Amino acid sequence: MKREQKREQTKRLLLDAVKELICEKGCTNTTLNDIMERSGLSKGAIFHYVKSKDELFSWVLEDRLDEINERFFNKASHKKSFEEPMHEITARLSDLENPQDPGNQVLMYLLGKSDQLDVKKILQQYYEQAIHMSKLWIAAGQEAGVIPQSVDADKTAELFMLISFGLRMRGAIDSKKHFFHHKDFAELMSGMLQPKEER
């Protein structure tokens, strides 16, 4: 087996183990020993890939972005339409409101440790990467002629990220009073990216 392929398999093994443990025990109660036991990897093998448990947790956030990005560009490359690629972005927006979602648990856990420099860097990198990907999706739509050039990709991408953070935060605090849901977010995204007069 080639080295790069083995590396990717090991990373996937670690990521799957971490996701399972977070679902079972939560971030705070998941220990490095748990991860070692579940993955079958030694501490040295794990720290070959990451510097800390927190960095390993951040893979859960990155994996979600990568998954959505791959699905989006897979659809966008086959059809020059708005609906199908947009559906790939909005299909899992309901996850943002789920406090049990591993990505949401990781985000809330890391935000609680954002006074630590290493964790703050992880969060900054994730935030910037998420905005960058959103901008790429908007730019791809503009290049395909299905999103107007008048849409400000920078502001729109950051607004979408701020709303997604808000939905995750509300899910984490378990607020019972909701007026804005993931379906409203999907409608807002569609409306901003493809105004009625442009359709």
Side-chain angles (χ1 to χ4, degrees), residues 90-117:
T90 61
R92 291 185 56 190
L93 284 181
S94 61
D95 290 349
L96 296 174
E97 298 182 278
N98 178 5
Q100 303 308 314
D101 177 80
N104 294 342
Q105 289 190 58
V106 167
L107 183 60
M108 294 305 115
Y109 171 79
L110 293 177
L111 284 170
K113 298 175 72 177
S114 62
D115 58 335
Q116 298 174 24
L117 187 58

Short mmCIF file of all heavy atoms in Angstrom, two decimals, residues 90-117:
data_model
loop_
_atom_site.label_atom_id
_atom_site.label_comp_id
_atom_site.label_asym_id
_atom_site.label_seq_id
_atom_site.Cartn_x
_atom_site.Cartn_y
_atom_site.Cartn_z
N THR A 90 -27.60 23.08 1.24
CA THR A 90 -28.70 23.23 2.21
C THR A 90 -29.24 21.90 2.75
O THR A 90 -29.96 21.90 3.74
CB THR A 90 -29.87 24.02 1.58
OG1 THR A 90 -30.36 23.29 0.43
CG2 THR A 90 -29.43 25.41 1.17
N ALA A 91 -28.89 20.78 2.11
CA ALA A 91 -29.47 19.48 2.48
C ALA A 91 -29.27 19.12 3.95
O ALA A 91 -30.13 18.48 4.55
CB ALA A 91 -28.90 18.37 1.59
N ARG A 92 -28.15 19.52 4.51
CA ARG A 92 -27.86 19.14 5.90
C ARG A 92 -27.86 20.34 6.85
O ARG A 92 -27.27 20.27 7.92
CB ARG A 92 -26.54 18.40 5.96
CG ARG A 92 -26.64 17.02 5.29
CD ARG A 92 -25.40 16.20 5.44
NE ARG A 92 -25.03 16.01 6.83
CZ ARG A 92 -23.85 15.48 7.20
NH1 ARG A 92 -22.98 15.09 6.31
NH2 ARG A 92 -23.56 15.35 8.47
N LEU A 93 -28.54 21.40 6.47
CA LEU A 93 -28.61 22.56 7.36
C LEU A 93 -29.29 22.23 8.69
O LEU A 93 -29.00 22.85 9.71
CB LEU A 93 -29.34 23.73 6.69
CG LEU A 93 -28.58 24.51 5.62
CD1 LEU A 93 -29.45 25.64 5.08
CD2 LEU A 93 -27.26 25.06 6.14
N SER A 94 -30.18 21.23 8.67
CA SER A 94 -30.86 20.86 9.92
C SER A 94 -29.86 20.37 10.97
O SER A 94 -30.11 20.49 12.18
CB SER A 94 -31.91 19.77 9.66
OG SER A 94 -31.30 18.61 9.13
N ASP A 95 -28.70 19.87 10.52
CA ASP A 95 -27.66 19.43 11.47
C ASP A 95 -27.19 20.58 12.35
O ASP A 95 -26.75 20.35 13.48
CB ASP A 95 -26.45 18.86 10.73
CG ASP A 95 -26.75 17.52 10.07
OD1 ASP A 95 -27.82 16.93 10.35
OD2 ASP A 95 -25.91 17.07 9.26
N LEU A 96 -27.26 21.81 11.83
CA LEU A 96 -26.81 22.97 12.61
C LEU A 96 -27.61 23.13 13.90
O LEU A 96 -27.10 23.67 14.88
CB LEU A 96 -26.93 24.26 11.77
CG LEU A 96 -26.08 24.36 10.52
CD1 LEU A 96 -26.43 25.63 9.75
CD2 LEU A 96 -24.59 24.34 10.86
N GLU A 97 -28.85 22.67 13.89
CA GLU A 97 -29.72 22.84 15.05
C GLU A 97 -29.71 21.63 15.99
O GLU A 97 -30.40 21.61 16.99
CB GLU A 97 -31.15 23.12 14.58
CG GLU A 97 -31.26 24.40 13.78
CD GLU A 97 -32.68 24.73 13.36
OE1 GLU A 97 -33.15 24.17 12.36
OE2 GLU A 97 -33.31 25.54 14.06
N ASN A 98 -28.90 20.62 15.65
CA ASN A 98 -28.86 19.39 16.42
C ASN A 98 -27.71 19.43 17.44
O ASN A 98 -26.55 19.32 17.05
CB ASN A 98 -28.69 18.19 15.47
CG ASN A 98 -28.59 16.88 16.21
OD1 ASN A 98 -28.73 16.80 17.43
ND2 ASN A 98 -28.33 15.82 15.47
N PRO A 99 -28.01 19.54 18.73
CA PRO A 99 -26.94 19.63 19.73
C PRO A 99 -26.13 18.34 19.84
O PRO A 99 -25.01 18.35 20.36
CB PRO A 99 -27.68 19.93 21.04
CG PRO A 99 -29.08 19.49 20.81
CD PRO A 99 -29.35 19.64 19.33
N GLN A 100 -26.67 17.21 19.34
CA GLN A 100 -25.94 15.93 19.40
C GLN A 100 -24.99 15.74 18.22
O GLN A 100 -24.19 14.81 18.23
CB GLN A 100 -26.95 14.77 19.45
CG GLN A 100 -27.92 14.84 20.61
CD GLN A 100 -27.23 15.03 21.95
OE1 GLN A 100 -26.26 14.36 22.24
NE2 GLN A 100 -27.73 15.95 22.76
N ASP A 101 -25.10 16.58 17.23
CA ASP A 101 -24.22 16.47 16.06
C ASP A 101 -22.76 16.61 16.51
O ASP A 101 -22.43 17.56 17.24
CB ASP A 101 -24.56 17.57 15.05
CG ASP A 101 -23.64 17.55 13.85
OD1 ASP A 101 -23.86 16.73 12.96
OD2 ASP A 101 -22.68 18.35 13.83
N PRO A 102 -21.87 15.68 16.11
CA PRO A 102 -20.48 15.74 16.57
C PRO A 102 -19.80 17.07 16.23
O PRO A 102 -19.04 17.60 17.05
CB PRO A 102 -19.80 14.58 15.83
CG PRO A 102 -20.89 13.66 15.45
CD PRO A 102 -22.12 14.50 15.27
N GLY A 103 -20.07 17.61 15.05
CA GLY A 103 -19.46 18.89 14.67
C GLY A 103 -19.88 20.02 15.59
O GLY A 103 -19.07 20.86 15.99
N ASN A 104 -21.16 20.05 15.95
CA ASN A 104 -21.66 21.09 16.85
C ASN A 104 -21.06 20.93 18.24
O ASN A 104 -20.70 21.91 18.90
CB ASN A 104 -23.18 21.05 16.93
CG ASN A 104 -23.83 21.41 15.60
OD1 ASN A 104 -23.19 21.99 14.73
ND2 ASN A 104 -25.08 21.04 15.43
N GLN A 105 -20.95 19.69 18.69
CA GLN A 105 -20.36 19.44 20.00
C GLN A 105 -18.90 19.90 20.03
O GLN A 105 -18.46 20.53 21.00
CB GLN A 105 -20.44 17.95 20.36
CG GLN A 105 -21.86 17.49 20.67
CD GLN A 105 -21.86 16.09 21.23
OE1 GLN A 105 -21.23 15.83 22.25
NE2 GLN A 105 -22.59 15.19 20.58
N VAL A 106 -18.17 19.60 18.96
CA VAL A 106 -16.77 20.02 18.89
C VAL A 106 -16.65 21.53 18.88
O VAL A 106 -15.83 22.11 19.60
CB VAL A 106 -16.07 19.42 17.64
CG1 VAL A 106 -14.73 20.09 17.37
CG2 VAL A 106 -15.88 17.92 17.80
N LEU A 107 -17.48 22.19 18.08
CA LEU A 107 -17.41 23.65 17.99
C LEU A 107 -17.67 24.29 19.35
O LEU A 107 -16.91 25.18 19.78
CB LEU A 107 -18.40 24.18 16.95
CG LEU A 107 -18.37 25.69 16.73
CD1 LEU A 107 -17.00 26.17 16.25
CD2 LEU A 107 -19.45 26.11 15.73
N MET A 108 -18.71 23.85 20.06
CA MET A 108 -19.02 24.42 21.37
C MET A 108 -17.90 24.14 22.37
O MET A 108 -17.52 25.00 23.17
CB MET A 108 -20.35 23.87 21.91
CG MET A 108 -21.57 24.29 21.10
SD MET A 108 -21.74 26.08 20.91
CE MET A 108 -21.53 26.24 19.16
N TYR A 109 -17.36 22.93 22.31
CA TYR A 109 -16.26 22.55 23.21
C TYR A 109 -15.03 23.43 22.97
O TYR A 109 -14.43 23.96 23.92
CB TYR A 109 -15.93 21.07 22.96
CG TYR A 109 -14.68 20.57 23.66
CD1 TYR A 109 -14.69 20.24 25.01
CD2 TYR A 109 -13.50 20.40 22.94
CE1 TYR A 109 -13.55 19.76 25.64
CE2 TYR A 109 -12.36 19.92 23.55
CZ TYR A 109 -12.37 19.60 24.90
OH TYR A 109 -11.24 19.14 25.51
N LEU A 110 -14.67 23.60 21.71
CA LEU A 110 -13.49 24.41 21.39
C LEU A 110 -13.72 25.89 21.70
O LEU A 110 -12.80 26.57 22.17
CB LEU A 110 -13.09 24.22 19.92
CG LEU A 110 -12.57 22.82 19.54
CD1 LEU A 110 -12.28 22.76 18.05
CD2 LEU A 110 -11.34 22.44 20.35
N LEU A 111 -14.92 26.38 21.47
CA LEU A 111 -15.22 27.79 21.81
C LEU A 111 -15.05 28.02 23.31
O LEU A 111 -14.60 29.08 23.73
CB LEU A 111 -16.64 28.17 21.38
CG LEU A 111 -16.84 28.42 19.88
CD1 LEU A 111 -18.32 28.54 19.54
CD2 LEU A 111 -16.09 29.67 19.43
N GLY A 112 -15.37 27.02 24.11
CA GLY A 112 -15.21 27.13 25.55
C GLY A 112 -13.74 27.16 25.99
O GLY A 112 -13.44 27.50 27.13
N LYS A 113 -12.84 26.82 25.07
CA LYS A 113 -11.41 26.82 25.37
C LYS A 113 -10.67 27.86 24.51
O LYS A 113 -9.45 27.78 24.37
CB LYS A 113 -10.84 25.43 25.09
CG LYS A 113 -11.43 24.33 25.95
CD LYS A 113 -10.92 22.96 25.56
CE LYS A 113 -9.49 22.80 25.99
NZ LYS A 113 -8.94 21.46 25.72
N SER A 114 -11.40 28.81 23.95
CA SER A 114 -10.79 29.75 23.00
C SER A 114 -9.81 30.73 23.64
O SER A 114 -9.15 31.49 22.95
CB SER A 114 -11.88 30.52 22.24
OG SER A 114 -12.66 31.29 23.14
N ASP A 115 -9.72 30.71 24.99
CA ASP A 115 -8.71 31.54 25.65
C ASP A 115 -7.32 30.89 25.56
O ASP A 115 -6.32 31.53 25.87
CB ASP A 115 -9.08 31.80 27.11
CG ASP A 115 -9.26 30.51 27.92
OD1 ASP A 115 -9.57 29.46 27.31
OD2 ASP A 115 -9.11 30.56 29.15
N GLN A 116 -7.26 29.64 25.11
CA GLN A 116 -5.99 28.95 24.90
C GLN A 116 -5.52 29.23 23.47
O GLN A 116 -6.28 29.03 22.52
CB GLN A 116 -6.13 27.44 25.13
CG GLN A 116 -6.56 27.09 26.54
CD GLN A 116 -6.85 25.61 26.70
OE1 GLN A 116 -6.34 24.79 25.96
NE2 GLN A 116 -7.66 25.28 27.70
N LEU A 117 -4.30 29.67 23.34
CA LEU A 117 -3.78 30.13 22.05
C LEU A 117 -3.89 29.07 20.96
O LEU A 117 -4.32 29.37 19.83
CB LEU A 117 -2.32 30.58 22.19
CG LEU A 117 -1.71 31.24 20.96
CD1 LEU A 117 -2.50 32.46 20.52
CD2 LEU A 117 -0.26 31.61 21.23
#
